[in-house]
Amino acid sequence: MEIRYASSNKDAKSYDTKRLREEYLIQDLFTIDNIKLVYSHYDRIIVGGVYPVTKGLKLEGGKELGSSFFLERRELGVINVGGPGKMILDKVEYEINNKDAIYIGMGVEEIEFLSIDPKNPAKFYLNSAPAHHKYPTIKIGLEDARKVKLGSTKTSNKRTINQYIHPDVCQSCQLVMGMTMLEDGSTWNSMPCHTHDRRMEVYFYFDMDEDTRIFHLMGEPTETRHIVMKKDEAVISPSWSIHSGVGTASYTFIWGMVGENQIFTDMDHVSMEILR
């Protein structure tokens, strides 16, 4: 498990491109028959990718968590961005197909990821947060997600926000997670931008061509920076940072939030006048 320590907004102003990428960009999430996990000290979120091709892969605890199993004191959200797959949770099997999600509550001990077809393997993207209470495990299909339609073609940001792990869909301790799908011709996400000092956030970009790039914007509103991202990469957004982006072609992204509350609309909007 890779450890990322929190960085100050004052320090981040001086980072060059290499340092920005080292601190906030998460690459190589999906390597064959491997689990990659990144533990961020921003609200202690864990971001990961699981890519079972020829065998099942088990998620386990360890020294980094100080626990005997992964969800001893945590909750977990998983969305499959690959081929058909399944998860086995304490001997109960769940079929998790493309764009299906599952919320797994604290206390589940055995977690195994598998692909149904090795020629079209599943790719499980996950977010995990510390938990204080056990809530029921629930599978959430794309059709079950709460839909919020925003933006317009005029502003190149017409999109549907699919809220999977959200108080209106299922119970969780603090993790909120969903997927935003842009319509053809729309390239901007989360613009006009905002911050929410009460929650950090992680964006994961996918459903992209190999040569498509996302120019992800971050930083304080008056000190913006950008990180160029490609398919199947994630980026950590501190609570003091904006999180927005524009793509060279179509894309989809998953967002996950951890922090003080679960109120999706609790944000501090940023006026275009102060963006720099």
Side-chain angles (χ1 to χ4, degrees):
M1 187 182 297
E2 180 184 342
I3 306 296
R4 301 278 185 99
Y5 291 98
S7 53
S8 164
N9 54 334
K10 295 178 181 178
D11 291 338
K13 295 177 183 180
S14 65
Y15 292 169
D16 61 11
T17 299
K18 182 175 182 291
R19 181 69 184 277
L20 281 171
R21 294 172 72 85
E22 288 173 350
E23 294 287 335
Y24 306 115
L25 181 63
I26 301 175
Q27 298 178 292
D28 302 320
L29 276 165
F30 300 110
T31 57
I32 293 175
D33 291 335
N34 185 55
I35 297 177
K36 174 163 182 174
L37 300 174
V38 175
Y39 182 115
S40 170
H41 278 258
Y42 288 112
D43 289 304
R44 299 189 179 272
I45 192 172
I46 294 176
V47 180
V50 184
Y51 195 31
V53 177
T54 67
K55 62 180 181 180
L57 298 172
K58 293 184 177 181
L59 190 61
E60 299 174 335
K63 180 180 179 182
E64 295 87 353
L65 302 182
S67 62
S68 56
F69 59 95
F70 192 87
L71 294 185
E72 186 174 357
R73 296 185 305 277
R74 285 186 158 267
E75 60 186 355
L76 176 67
V78 179
I79 299 177
N80 182 5
V81 298
K86 60 183 178 180
M87 294 181 64
I88 301 175
L89 309 175
D90 286 344
K91 297 183 172 58
V92 179
E93 186 174 304
Y94 296 83
E95 189 170 316
I96 310 294
N97 294 316
N98 183 261
K99 294 186 173 66
D100 283 346
I102 187 167
Y103 170 80
I104 307 167
M106 181 180 72
V108 173
E109 294 191 32
E110 296 182 4
I111 303 171
E112 185 173 7
F113 301 83
L114 303 102
S115 290
I116 293 175
D117 180 5
K119 295 181 180 178
N120 183 25
K123 297 162 75 174
F124 298 97
Y125 173 73
L126 66 84
N127 286 174
S128 173
H132 61 273
H133 183 82
K134 178 180 176 63
Y135 286 113
T137 293
I138 179 171
K139 175 186 169 181
I140 308 152
L142 180 59
E143 67 280 4
D144 303 315
R146 181 175 182 265
K147 315 290 184 186
V148 179
K149 294 186 178 294
L150 293 174
S152 69
T153 53
K154 181 179 178 180
T155 49
S156 303
N157 66 349
K158 191 173 184 180
R159 62 203 188 275
T160 300
I161 298 173
N162 299 279
Q163 297 171 338
Y164 286 96
I165 301 172
H166 181 278
D168 290 335
V169 180
C170 74
Q171 291 180 298
S172 65
C173 292
Q174 61 169 322
L175 179 64
V176 180
M177 197 172 179
M179 179 173 63
T180 297
M181 303 174 72
L182 281 78
E183 295 198 9
D184 289 344
S186 287
T187 56
W188 278 98
N189 72 70
S190 307
M191 181 61 73
C193 61
H194 61 263
T195 60
H196 30 69
D197 203 44
R198 296 148 298 279
R199 300 190 304 274
M200 64 81 65
E201 191 160 6
V202 176
Y203 275 13
F204 167 77
Y205 292 99
F206 70 110
D207 272 359
M208 299 160 55
D209 293 334
E210 292 296 333
D211 60 350
T212 296
R213 292 296 181 267
I214 301 293
F215 287 75
H216 181 84
L217 304 179
M218 64 160 298
E220 293 180 292
T222 56
E223 286 282 348
T224 61
R225 304 289 187 268
H226 75 270
I227 297 176
V228 179
M229 300 176 61
K230 61 183 181 180
K231 178 182 178 181
D232 291 348
E233 293 185 338
V235 61
I236 298 168
S237 177
S239 59
W240 45 262
S241 173
I242 67 168
H243 31 281
S244 180
V246 62
T248 60
S250 62
Y251 62 94
T252 302
F253 70 98
I254 293 170
W255 43 267
M257 293 185 283
V258 176
E260 289 291 339
N261 65 43
Q262 296 179 310
I263 304 172
F264 185 82
T265 55
D266 178 19
M267 57 188 71
D268 302 312
H269 295 281
V270 175
S271 167
M272 291 290 194
E273 291 295 322
I274 70 170
L275 277 178
R276 298 288 186 272

